[in-house]
Amino acid sequence: MERGYRPAIHPHQRHPRGWLDWTGHPRHSAGRGLSTLGWMMEMRFLCDEMLHGLGRWLRAAGYDSRIAGMGTADADLLRQALSEGRLLLSRDRKLLEYRGAGRAVLWLEANDLEGCAMELCHRVELNWLYRPFSRCLQCNTPLRSTSAAVWPDLPDTVRASGMVLWCCPVCRKVYWEGSHVTRMRARLQEWQRRCRGEGPVPGPAG
């Protein structure tokens, strides 16, 4: 195991700010989120392979979110998170045993996407409507506005609609406000309402 990334925290080891619980965070701050993240002007994330779907939704919300490749070693994930100033999201509890994990790792307990989305916004100050659809879902690059004239292969209906278009300057993917984006936007809005403790939007009267 590489120097600087060996297991360093026992689940009940003494910490300068109090006893650590099994998450690796001081017990007296449990349930109040990661207070050490308050200084971050713009949260940036690194999702391990188990949270690939969550990473894409974070991109949809506008957050700079990298997604680890299959089989990436835990030590490499932690090194990347620390060097790039990212919060490493994982469901692998073993990551909490590495030196430096307390500064970079957030272990999520939920088993499904919805649960992880809610747990994340309750533990950090996450806004699911931060900058919706401002990043490429494929490669995380910020999108740029573009013109239909530049893209000869666009569907005729999109070209004729005059909709605003965005493109990724890296992978050359083009985005527009189609039905898929509309459904994703509605889901982000629903998550944000739930994060704020608001109920779902009432459906039409039956």
Side-chain angles (χ1 to χ4, degrees):
M1 191 169 293
E2 296 187 31
R3 183 178 181 182
Y5 292 90
R6 62 185 184 277
I9 297 178
H10 186 274
H12 300 293
Q13 180 177 332
R14 183 67 179 174
H15 185 277
R17 292 166 53 197
W19 285 96
L20 297 176
D21 61 16
W22 58 267
T23 64
H25 301 295
R27 286 181 178 175
H28 67 263
S29 65
R32 294 188 297 175
L34 296 180
S35 59
T36 55
L37 295 176
W39 57 269
M40 297 178 70
M41 295 298 293
E42 179 177 348
M43 286 185 288
R44 303 198 301 166
F45 298 96
L46 171 61
C47 295
D48 70 6
E49 60 186 75
M50 290 186 288
L51 295 176
H52 179 275
L54 181 64
R56 287 178 61 86
W57 278 98
L58 285 167
R59 290 175 181 176
Y63 287 101
D64 181 349
S65 304
R66 295 189 180 276
I67 300 171
M70 295 290 290
T72 305
D74 289 350
D76 292 335
L77 286 174
L78 184 55
R79 183 186 299 107
Q80 180 181 354
L82 290 170
S83 65
E84 297 180 4
R86 296 179 182 274
L87 179 60
L88 174 55
L89 305 179
S90 177
R91 296 203 64 255
D92 182 2
R93 194 184 300 182
K94 292 181 180 179
L95 272 168
L96 298 171
E97 299 175 354
Y98 285 82
R99 185 180 301 279
R103 293 182 287 129
V105 178
L106 179 59
W107 181 76
L108 297 179
E109 186 175 3
N111 292 316
D112 61 343
L113 175 62
E114 294 279 337
C116 286
M118 291 301 98
E119 183 178 353
L120 182 58
C121 72
H122 289 140
R123 294 183 65 183
V124 300
E125 294 182 2
L126 187 85
N127 180 1
W128 283 110
L129 298 176
Y130 175 53
R131 293 175 183 169
F133 306 104
S134 59
R135 287 184 173 272
C136 179
L137 300 182
Q138 188 71 28
C139 70
N140 193 44
T141 304
L143 299 178
R144 299 176 181 175
S145 60
T146 188
S147 169
V150 182
W151 308 95
D153 296 331
L154 282 176
D156 292 338
T157 53
V158 174
R159 189 179 304 279
S161 69
M163 288 189 291
V164 177
L165 303 177
W166 299 271
C167 73
C168 174
V170 174
C171 70
R172 309 294 288 173
K173 187 174 178 62
V174 182
Y175 296 86
W176 60 87
E177 192 80 19
S179 58
H180 181 60
V181 171
T182 300
R183 289 192 297 270
M184 292 184 70
R185 188 183 299 277
R187 193 173 196 181
L188 291 173
Q189 291 170 342
E190 175 63 20
W191 284 354
Q192 185 62 16
R193 281 192 293 268
R194 290 172 59 188
C195 287
R196 295 171 60 181
E198 302 173 3
V201 175

